[in-house]
Amino acid sequence: MSLRGSVPIKKKGSPMRNKKNKADVYLRDHKAGLLERTGTGYCFTYYRDYLSLPDAQPVSLTLPLTQTPYKSGQLFPFFFGLLPEGWFLDITCRTLKTDPKNSFDILVASGGDCVGAVTVFPAKEDECI
C-alpha cells in the first residue's frame, strides 16, 4: 500500500516563493523612487528626498520629475525595457522558476544588474513614500 497519495509532497524552495510587490528604483547611487505592483496595475512615485536634491534627474524622459504618482495598468514601458530578452530571459526565468510573462518579478529579481544608470532592487514591503 502506497502512502504517496496521502502524504504531501514537499516542493523545493523557489527563489520567487516570497513575491515582492515593491521595488526601489535607483538612478546611479541615489534612491530615486518606489515602483509598486498594485491590485489594478503599477504605480511609480519619486521619493521626496530625491526630488529635493538640486541635481535630481528623472529616471526616464517618459517619467518626468513630479510629486504626483504615475499609475498604469501595465508595467511602464521604461521598466519593461530593462528586462532581459531572448535566451537570457529564458535562462533567467528557469533560474527564478517564474513565468516569462511575470515582468515585475523578473525585474525585481534581475534589476540590480541592468545596463545603464538605473537599477531596481526589492524594497521592504512596509516602505512608503
Side-chain angles (χ1 to χ4, degrees):
M1 178 176 178
S2 172
L3 296 176
R4 185 170 177 87
S6 62
V7 177
I9 298 172
K10 292 184 181 180
K11 293 183 180 178
K12 290 185 178 182
S14 165
M16 296 306 301
R17 189 177 70 224
N18 297 322
K19 291 186 179 183
K20 302 288 184 186
N21 291 312
K22 295 184 179 187
D24 285 322
V25 178
Y26 287 78
L27 180 60
R28 295 179 193 82
D29 295 330
H30 298 287
K31 187 157 70 165
L34 182 67
L35 178 63
E36 301 174 87
R37 176 172 39 195
T38 67
T40 58
Y42 299 90
C43 179
F44 175 73
T45 310
Y46 284 102
Y47 284 112
R48 287 184 209 113
D49 291 347
Y50 181 75
L51 290 171
S52 69
L53 294 174
D55 60 344
Q57 296 179 337
V59 296
S60 167
L61 294 176
T62 61
L63 298 166
L65 295 175
T66 181
Q67 292 180 357
T68 306
Y70 291 95
K71 297 184 182 200
S72 175
Q74 300 174 358
L75 187 62
F76 298 94
F78 170 73
F79 294 111
F80 190 81
L82 297 177
L83 295 173
E85 297 176 325
W87 63 267
F88 190 59
L89 175 61
D90 295 340
I91 291 170
T92 302
C93 291
R94 276 196 307 255
T95 302
L96 298 175
K97 297 179 183 161
T98 192
D99 185 336
K101 295 177 186 172
N102 196 336
S103 302
F104 188 83
D105 287 343
I106 296 166
L107 178 64
V108 172
S110 65
D113 194 25
C114 294
V115 173
V118 175
T119 51
V120 181
F121 294 99
K124 296 178 183 171
E125 288 300 310
D126 61 350
E127 183 133 25
C128 53
I129 300 295

